[in-house]
């Protein structure tokens, strides 16, 4: 273990100031990701600024019917919140699909969004990894690729983002609220996380010292239904091979509006905009859903080790949309 300094922030502004003044500082929330990385020796911060006790744990109903969710609220509490369960079931279900009960009791809203990849090469400091050590190479390109990206990868990195919650947040058009060296910002989740490009070490678009303080979820149309499905190797404590978060509004057997995000397929939650466009005004039928899925997945670029993800994503997306548009039981 390499030594580091530790301090507990007394306010958001104090946390930001302390981080900005120290280029080696990182924020510590629930610690479910960061502490693992400290133990594995793949991150070496000079200072941990503990923000876990900041008063950012509330769920606030906004005037338009949306929700403002505090950054330090624990995942278990967020998944169980009545307003989340009734208005945004896709978010609750995604949270409950992640990790284990013990980890959900510790993990925070902001920390969940900012998880780093679980690529086995990233987590093994004895192997080359451009994300961990820029310029060293990507071991996954010639190695085990079953878990890796079929969208948006680069020659520098083919890893995927592990968060279930982030996939749901992307489908909901959620926005993070931050406080940083330049004041407050509002960043769509789809822009918070980034594709690897030639800088795979950059997981997100936050500035150094910028702290997420809340997640805001806009209201859904009155008739919209939402859901989340995760395909994984075992029923618990496993990361997604493919996941689908979808929000759909139909009227008279026709899709009026759809928002879809895929997980387990890219370095960030993948907004399925081609599928969304194909669904607008289409009949709410399995055939339409299959065509929309095919429109999205036509752009996939799988490797030999993960080509199975393409038909898996097609089937999963079709199934989720079919479930959401099925007739309500009488």
């Amino acid at each position: 273990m390499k030594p580091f300094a530790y301090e507990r922030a007394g306010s958001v502004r104090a946390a930001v100031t302390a981080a900005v003044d120290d280029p080696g500082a990182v924020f510590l929330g629930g610690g479910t990701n960061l502490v693992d990385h400290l133990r594995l020796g793949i991150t070496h911060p000079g200072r941990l600024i503990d923000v876990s006790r900041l008063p950012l744990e509330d769920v606030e109903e906004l005037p338009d019917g949306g929700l403002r969710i505090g950054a330090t609220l624990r995942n278990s509490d967020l998944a169980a919140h009545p307003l989340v369960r009734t208005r945004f079931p896709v978010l609750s279900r995604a949270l409950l699909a992640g990790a284990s009960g013990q980890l959900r009791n510790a993990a925070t809203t902001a920390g969940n969004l900012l998880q780093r990849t679980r690529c086995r090469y990233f987590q093994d400091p004895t192997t080359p990894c451009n994300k961990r050590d820029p310029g060293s190479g990507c071991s996954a390109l010639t190695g085990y690729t079953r878990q890796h990206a079929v969208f948006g990868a680069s020659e520098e990195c083919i890893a995927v983002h592990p968060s279930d919650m982030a996939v749901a947040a992307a489908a909901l058009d959620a926005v993070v609220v931050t406080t940083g060296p330049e004041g407050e910002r509002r960043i769509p989740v789809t822009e918070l996380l980034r594709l690897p490009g030639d800088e795979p070490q950059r997981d997100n678009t936050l500035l150094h010292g910028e702290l997420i303080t809340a997640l805001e979820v806009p209201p859904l149309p009155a008739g919209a239904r939402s859901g989340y499905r995760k395909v994984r190797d075992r029923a618990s404590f496993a990361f997604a091979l493919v996941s689908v978060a979808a929000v759909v509004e139909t009227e008279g057997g026709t899709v009026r509006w759809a928002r879809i995000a895929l997980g387990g397929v890219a370095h960030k939650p993948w907004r399925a905009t081609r599928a969304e466009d194909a669904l607008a005004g289409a009949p709410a039928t399995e055939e339409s859903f299959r065509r929309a899925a095919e429109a999205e997945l036509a752009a996939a670029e799988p490797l030999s080790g993960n080509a199975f993800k393409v038909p898996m994503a097609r089937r999963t997306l079709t199934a989720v949309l079919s479930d959401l548009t099925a007739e309500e039981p009488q």
Side-chain angles (χ1 to χ4, degrees), residues 148-154 157-160 195-196 262-268 270-272 274 293-302 306 309-310 313:
H148 287 77
V150 298
F151 288 111
S154 73
C157 181
I158 59 172
V160 300
L195 296 176
L262 306 179
V265 298
H267 196 260
K268 59 183 285 187
W270 187 261
R271 268 298 289 267
R274 295 180 183 86
E294 289 171 351
E296 189 64 44
L297 291 158
E301 296 181 326
N306 66 8
K309 286 192 175 188
V310 175

Side-chain angles (χ1 to χ4, degrees), residues 7 43 95-96 144 158 226 233 256 302 330:
E7 66 181 87
T43 189
L95 285 161
L96 293 173
Y144 181 79
I158 59 172
S226 69
D233 285 326
R256 294 188 59 190
Q330 299 298 316

Side-chain angles (χ1 to χ4, degrees), residues 62-310:
L62 299 175
D64 62 2
L67 296 181
R68 181 182 174 98
I69 299 162
T72 61
L73 182 65
R74 306 296 163 162
N75 287 177
S76 291
D77 293 331
L78 178 56
H81 196 282
L83 289 177
V84 175
R85 294 179 62 188
T86 56
R87 297 186 187 178
F88 306 101
V90 61
L91 183 57
S92 180
R93 291 170 187 170
L95 285 161
L96 293 173
S100 65
Q102 293 92 332
L103 286 172
R104 291 194 295 270
N105 287 339
T108 63
T109 299
N112 190 311
L113 294 173
L114 298 179
Q115 290 180 76
R116 306 205 74 190
T117 184
R118 268 24 181 229
C119 173
R120 61 174 56 189
Y121 302 106
F122 171 71
Q123 297 197 108
D124 181 357
T126 68
T127 62
C129 171
N130 287 322
K131 179 175 285 295
R132 190 183 63 249
D133 183 14
S136 64
C138 176
S139 296
L141 284 173
T142 56
Y144 181 79
T145 60
R146 185 170 185 268
Q147 301 282 347
H148 287 77
V150 298
F151 288 111
S154 73
E155 289 297 314
E156 303 297 323
C157 181
I158 59 172
V160 300
H161 195 268
S163 171
D164 293 287
M165 176 187 167
V167 181
L172 289 168
D173 289 323
V175 173
V176 295
V177 182
T178 71
T179 298
E182 299 179 0
E184 184 174 284
R185 281 208 297 166
R186 300 172 60 81
I187 311 169
V189 168
T190 52
E191 297 176 17
L192 170 71
L193 302 169
R194 62 184 298 278
L195 296 176
D198 59 3
E199 293 183 291
Q201 71 275 16
R202 293 182 57 222
D203 293 326
N204 57 66
T205 58
L206 294 177
L207 304 174
H208 177 69
E210 190 169 16
L211 178 67
I212 295 176
T213 57
L215 175 72
E216 291 190 352
V217 184
L220 297 178
R225 300 175 70 182
S226 69
Y228 185 78
R229 183 174 295 194
K230 178 178 181 178
V231 183
R232 47 189 165 177
D233 285 326
R234 56 181 185 270
S236 179
F237 203 59
F239 297 100
L241 294 169
V242 167
S243 65
V244 174
V247 187
V248 183
E249 181 188 16
T250 61
E251 183 178 24
T254 298
V255 178
R256 294 188 59 190
W257 181 89
R259 295 292 181 269
I260 302 165
L262 306 179
V265 298
H267 196 260
K268 59 183 285 187
W270 187 261
R271 268 298 289 267
T273 54
R274 295 180 183 86
E276 294 173 1
D277 291 344
L279 287 170
T285 62
E286 184 174 340
E287 181 180 358
S288 292
F289 304 151
R290 189 179 299 110
R291 288 177 180 172
E294 289 171 351
E296 189 64 44
L297 291 158
E301 296 181 326
L303 301 165
S304 59
N306 66 8
F308 71 92
K309 286 192 175 188
V310 175

